[in-house]
């Protein structure tokens, strides 16, 4: 199961990096979204996946899931959610103001 | 008493949130931000006094004992950086009302500003590596808000690159934290420091160490990951540039200092030689950038890079003296970069342009501005008796005593070139033919106060070195011996 998840995370990373290297702004944003999904899967996998075990440790329970990755993933999801929505608005504004969503054309000289 | 340590985060956070509701009542919000930043400065100074008196303050939030819960650690290094941060904050709070236009101020500048301070303080104080990521995000979100504030074409253009790059490095940060967690089973820095020695997986740990380095080097604008920085920092208004130049990259450097002395200190030969090489390139490329442009704001922004080279050089040499040098240089550089960006902002206001070729002879009309700039220049270049000198002295002494002659020589030459690059502003801009100034400029008299305020600290840090040096050398000793940090936190 861990290996499968790692491969999945790797695929997400690959696709994300591929999209990051595009010129169109929206594709790049999708790339960052995929990358963060890959990172979240990776966090979950790193705490070892146990099917059906609760993330609670009380007396009499010796099979449990590590709760820490779940706490970390939650924080990380919230952050990437916020940043992605900000980035979408920013991209829209930049497109409106600069009249292009092509990163190649978003260059400037030193003294402007 | 231990709850005191959370106040430097909480105070700006609450004030910033409240200011959202009064955005149209500018005089109130302005004074509010000024009062909050002064209170915060007094508070952190008091905390520093307590830490010097009684030793490290630890707050275990929610009563969870050390390796399990979230902890805040105020040791001498974090607390002195906090004080420096709040010195910048006070200066920025008094500089902002006279340089920003009403639109920017009304659109939550003060909220972003206070959030930024909260995030930076949190990053300095946190005791676990995942919370370092969280506070990085807090300060980055505030900086995203600030960098697009106003929404001019150039700002939007540069901010996209800035946001994308920081987002990418943040994702890499989380990924690396999760790798580290899978190898060691903890995110608490003190416990990490213990476990990294025990797990016996040098290959994986070195890989993780280098990944962390890539993340922090991106945030700290180190060679070859500095390309996004100068333009992004130079485009927003002066006060925002000052905050960015003084605080943001420095958090990256603090993280490198912390992580590579506390956690990844096993494979020093490999990682720290790597640092020295990168420090050399950072010094050279930063200075070349600073020499290459005629935009005064860009010159100062490029000058951030060699300063970071100096600090990384100290981490690379890895002795008590050189680490103390890095910390001293870090404190000095925070203050002087804030002051320089503010000075350059004032020059741009009186001259009406930031193109150096169009500015000349300002010293006749603005003698005080000229002399303040001159002092700042000397401080930046590290001439005695100003504060840059002592940090550089410690670093270069460390380099030559430990046989790193090449980096020492590079450091000396770049110091000279830094002086040349900033002196160009002074020679072209302040001397020479008196230019006809644009008639409708704002008065810059209120700007002298925050600039002088920062420069006083800079001079005191240099002249009062005898008083500061023992504490900073103590930080160097603490950094070289991670067991001090670990024992204070885990108390075993």
């Amino acid at each position: 199961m861990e290996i499968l998840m790692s491969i999945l995370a790797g695929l997400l990373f690959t696709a994300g990096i591929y999209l990051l290297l595009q010129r169109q702004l929206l594709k790049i944003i999708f790339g960052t979204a995929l990358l963060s999904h890959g990172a979240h899967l990776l966090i979950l996998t790193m705490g070892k996946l146990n099917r059906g075990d609760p993330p609670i440790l009380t007396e009499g329970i010796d099979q449990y899931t590590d709760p820490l990755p779940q706490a970390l993933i939650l924080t990380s999801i919230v952050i990437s959610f916020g940043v992605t929505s900000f980035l979408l608005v920013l991209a829209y504004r930049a497109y409106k103001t600069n009249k292009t969503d092509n990163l190649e054309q978003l260059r400037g000289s030193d003294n402007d | 008493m231990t709850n005191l340590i959370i106040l430097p985060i909480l105070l700006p956070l609450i004030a910033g949130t409240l200011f959202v509701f009064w955005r149209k009542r500018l005089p109130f919000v302005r004074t509010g931000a000024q009062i909050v930043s002064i209170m915060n400065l007094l508070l952190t100074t008091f905390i520093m006094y307590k830490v010097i008196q009684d030793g490290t303050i630890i707050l275990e939030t929610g009563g969870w004992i050390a390796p399990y819960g979230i902890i805040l650690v105020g040791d001498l290094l974090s607390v002195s950086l906090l004080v420096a941060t709040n010195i910048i904050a006070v200066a920025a709070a008094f500089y902002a009302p006279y340089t920003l236009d009403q639109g920017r101020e009304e659109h939550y500048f003060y909220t972003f500003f206070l959030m930024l301070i909260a995030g930076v303080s949190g990053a300095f104080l946190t005791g676990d590596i995942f919370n370092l990521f969280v506070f990085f995000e807090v300060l980055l979100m505030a900086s995203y808000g600030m960098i697009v504030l106003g929404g001019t074409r150039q700002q939007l253009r540069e901010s996209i690159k800035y946001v994308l790059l920081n987002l990418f490095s943040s994702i890499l940060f989380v990924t690396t934290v999760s790798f580290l967690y899978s190898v060691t089973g903890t995110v608490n820095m003190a416990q990490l420091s213990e476990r990294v020695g025990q797990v016996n997986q040098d290959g994986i740990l070195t890989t993780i160490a280098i990944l962390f380095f890539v993340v922090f080097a991106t945030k700290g604008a180190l060679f070859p990951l500095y390309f996004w920085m100068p333009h992004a920092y130079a485009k927003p208004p002066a006060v925002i540039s000052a905050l960015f130049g003084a605080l943001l990259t420095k958090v990256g450097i603090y993280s490198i200092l912390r992580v590579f002395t506390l956690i990844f200190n096993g494979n020093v030969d490999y990682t720290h030689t790597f640092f020295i090489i990168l420090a050399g390139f950072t010094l050279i490329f930063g200075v070349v950038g600073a020499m290459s442009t005629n935009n005064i704001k860009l010159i100062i922004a490029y000058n951030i890079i060699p300063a970071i080279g100096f600090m990384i050089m100290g981490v690379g040499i890895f002795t008590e003296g050189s680490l103390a040098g890095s910390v001293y240089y870090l404190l000095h550089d925070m203050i002087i970069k804030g002051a320089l960006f503010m000075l350059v902002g004032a020059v741009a206001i009186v001259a009406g342009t930031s193109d150096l070729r169009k500015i000349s002879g300002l010293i006749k009309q603005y003698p005080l501005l000229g002399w303040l700039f001159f002092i700042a220049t000397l401080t930046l270049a590290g001439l005695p008796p100003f504060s840059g000198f002592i940090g550089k002295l410690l670093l270069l002494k460390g380099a030559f005593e430990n046989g790193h002659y090449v980096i020492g020589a590079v450091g000396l030459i770049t110091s000279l070139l830094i002086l040349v690059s900033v002196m160009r502003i002074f020679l072209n801009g302040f001397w020479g033919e008196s230019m006809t100034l644009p008639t409708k400029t704002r008065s810059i008299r209120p700007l002298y106060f925050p600039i002088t305020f920062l420069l006083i600290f800079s001079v005191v840090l240099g002249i009062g070195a005898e008083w500061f040096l023992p504490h900073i050398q103590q930080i160097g000793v603490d950094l070289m011996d991670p067991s001090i940090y670990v024992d204070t936190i885990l108390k075993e």
Side-chain angles (χ1 to χ4, degrees):
Chain A
M1 193 64 180
E2 273 91 357
I3 292 175
L4 204 67
M5 287 283 268
S6 305
I7 292 172
L8 191 57
L11 281 175
L12 282 172
F13 267 95
T14 321
I17 301 262
Y18 175 77
L19 283 175
L20 268 190
L21 298 175
Q22 302 297 304
R23 283 178 191 158
Q24 208 188 345
L25 212 44
L26 199 60
K27 283 185 185 163
I28 295 174
I29 296 172
F30 285 143
T32 61
L34 285 188
L35 272 183
S36 58
H37 287 322
H40 299 154
L41 276 187
L42 201 68
I43 300 174
L44 202 62
T45 320
M46 287 304 163
K48 291 224 169 55
L49 301 160
N50 299 334
R51 181 173 291 195
D53 297 329
I56 306 165
L57 184 61
T58 47
E59 276 180 45
I61 292 180
D62 51 356
Q63 281 282 315
Y64 65 97
T65 310
D66 192 349
L68 195 70
Q70 308 192 3
L72 302 189
I73 225 177
L74 194 60
T75 319
S76 177
I77 284 173
V78 172
I79 289 170
S80 76
F81 177 62
V83 178
T84 307
S85 53
F86 172 79
L87 203 51
L88 283 169
V89 177
L90 177 65
Y92 179 68
R93 267 305 293 272
Y95 166 71
K96 278 279 190 193
T97 324
N98 288 305
K99 304 276 184 293
T100 176
D101 67 340
N102 188 335
L103 268 194
E104 284 288 301
Q105 289 162 18
L106 286 172
R107 285 187 180 168
S109 67
D110 264 10
N111 289 310
D112 58 4
Chain B
M1 276 315 279
T2 53
N3 283 334
L4 208 61
I5 197 86
I6 203 170
L7 275 179
I9 307 172
L10 221 52
L11 201 64
L13 201 64
I14 293 171
T17 320
L18 288 179
F19 288 163
V20 172
F21 301 110
W22 293 305
R23 73 176 178 113
K24 291 279 182 193
R25 300 172 64 182
L26 272 182
F28 172 74
V29 172
R30 276 176 195 154
T31 355
Q34 287 164 356
I35 290 170
V36 167
S37 54
I38 288 174
M39 269 167 65
N40 222 3
L41 178 59
L42 294 176
L43 181 74
T44 45
T45 319
F46 177 67
I47 293 174
M48 182 162 79
Y49 171 75
K50 287 300 266 184
V51 169
I52 290 173
Q53 293 288 310
D54 311 335
T56 307
I57 300 176
I58 297 161
L59 175 65
E60 290 161 335
T61 50
W64 289 77
I65 50 163
Y68 304 110
I70 292 168
I71 58 165
L72 297 176
V73 185
D75 66 348
L76 208 48
L77 172 61
S78 326
V79 170
S80 33
L81 288 170
L82 266 190
V83 173
T85 306
N86 283 296
I87 290 172
I88 311 282
V90 171
F94 281 92
Y95 187 88
Y98 307 105
T99 49
L100 289 177
D101 49 72
Q102 200 191 354
R104 284 196 170 98
E105 278 191 283
E106 269 183 5
H107 285 88
Y108 312 113
F109 168 77
Y110 293 101
T111 301
F112 289 135
F113 162 62
L114 290 168
M115 294 291 174
L116 185 78
I117 300 299
V120 171
S121 309
F124 288 149
L125 283 175
T126 178
D128 76 64
I129 202 147
F130 189 78
N131 263 33
L132 186 62
F133 160 73
V134 173
F135 279 115
F136 258 115
E137 285 308 305
V138 172
L139 73 92
L140 282 175
M141 281 307 268
S143 78
Y144 298 159
M146 275 180 163
I147 204 166
V148 293
L149 201 59
T152 63
R153 257 186 64 229
Q154 302 156 14
Q155 265 181 305
L156 285 168
R157 198 179 65 207
E158 296 306 323
S159 62
I160 284 180
K161 294 162 202 168
Y162 175 81
V163 175
L164 280 175
L165 203 92
N166 276 301
L167 184 56
F168 180 73
S169 69
S170 293
I171 292 169
L172 197 60
F173 196 173
V174 192
T175 317
T176 318
V177 169
S178 74
F179 281 140
L180 189 61
Y181 180 72
S182 80
V183 177
T184 58
T186 178
V187 288
N188 182 294
M189 286 198 210
Q191 209 180 10
L192 275 172
S193 172
E194 278 190 336
R195 290 217 181 146
V196 158
Q198 294 163 0
V199 290
N200 255 337
Q201 295 200 341
D202 274 348
I204 294 177
L205 281 174
T206 310
T207 314
I208 293 173
I210 295 300
L211 276 175
F212 267 123
F213 183 73
V214 170
V215 171
F216 296 142
T218 315
K219 312 253 188 208
L222 214 76
F223 174 84
L225 299 160
Y226 66 82
F227 53 88
W228 56 274
M229 194 273 284
H231 284 272
Y233 279 20
K235 290 293 181 288
V239 60
I240 297 175
S241 302
L243 281 169
F244 283 11
L247 301 177
L248 289 191
T249 47
K250 307 304 182 290
V251 183
I253 300 305
Y254 164 78
S255 313
I256 291 178
L257 259 175
R258 187 61 99 198
V259 167
F260 282 89
T261 53
L262 191 63
I263 303 172
F264 302 110
N265 48 13
N267 208 342
V268 175
D269 285 344
Y270 184 79
T271 48
H272 291 244
T273 314
F274 179 61
F275 288 177
I276 291 183
I277 296 168
L278 278 188
F281 281 113
T282 311
L283 285 168
I284 296 166
F285 277 78
V287 146
V288 168
M291 305 279 282
S292 71
T293 170
N294 275 316
N295 184 333
I296 48 174
K297 283 185 88 176
L298 263 182
I299 294 178
I300 305 300
Y302 269 113
N303 261 311
I304 297 173
I305 301 165
I308 284 157
F310 274 115
M311 294 167 216
I312 293 303
M313 177 176 138
V315 183
I317 297 163
F318 206 55
T319 60
E320 282 168 13
S322 74
L323 284 172
S326 283
V327 174
Y328 208 105
Y329 205 84
L330 180 57
L331 292 169
H332 142 80
D333 197 59
M334 284 169 86
I335 289 170
I336 194 65
K337 284 288 141 59
L340 271 172
F341 271 113
M342 288 180 185
L343 276 166
V344 166
V347 171
I349 287 176
V350 294
T353 171
S354 54
D355 190 343
L356 192 54
R357 286 166 298 193
K358 291 177 191 153
I359 307 173
S360 67
L362 284 179
I363 202 152
K364 292 202 182 71
Q365 281 112 321
Y366 295 96
L368 183 56
L369 188 67
W371 292 116
L372 286 176
F373 199 91
F374 187 65
I375 294 174
T377 310
L378 295 186
T379 316
L380 181 76
L383 265 70
F386 301 111
S387 58
F389 174 67
I390 294 130
K392 241 171 225 175
L393 185 70
L394 285 169
L395 286 170
L396 292 174
K397 219 173 93 187
F400 285 119
E401 275 174 3
N402 294 288
H404 301 294
Y405 297 110
V406 178
I407 189 77
V410 170
L412 281 173
I413 295 167
T414 41
S415 298
L416 201 66
L417 292 176
I418 290 171
L419 184 64
V420 173
S421 77
V422 195
M423 266 303 178
R424 268 176 59 220
I425 305 181
F426 191 75
L427 290 177
N428 289 352
F430 287 97
W431 285 359
E433 289 285 300
S434 209
M435 67 184 285
T436 43
L437 294 172
T439 42
K440 276 177 71 183
T441 51
R442 278 172 287 185
S443 161
I444 59 159
R445 192 158 296 136
L447 304 185
Y448 288 135
F449 167 66
I451 295 169
T452 327
F453 177 75
L454 285 181
L455 283 178
I456 284 172
F457 275 102
S458 179
V459 172
V460 165
L461 203 61
I463 294 172
E466 247 173 90
W467 194 79
F468 294 106
L469 210 52
H471 297 300
I472 288 171
Q473 271 166 341
Q474 183 59 43
I475 295 176
V477 174
D478 289 352
L479 284 177
M480 275 305 280
D481 186 5
S483 62
I484 297 175
Y485 185 90
V486 175
D487 288 342
T488 347
I489 288 169
L490 298 179
K491 299 187 200 85
E492 281 163 59

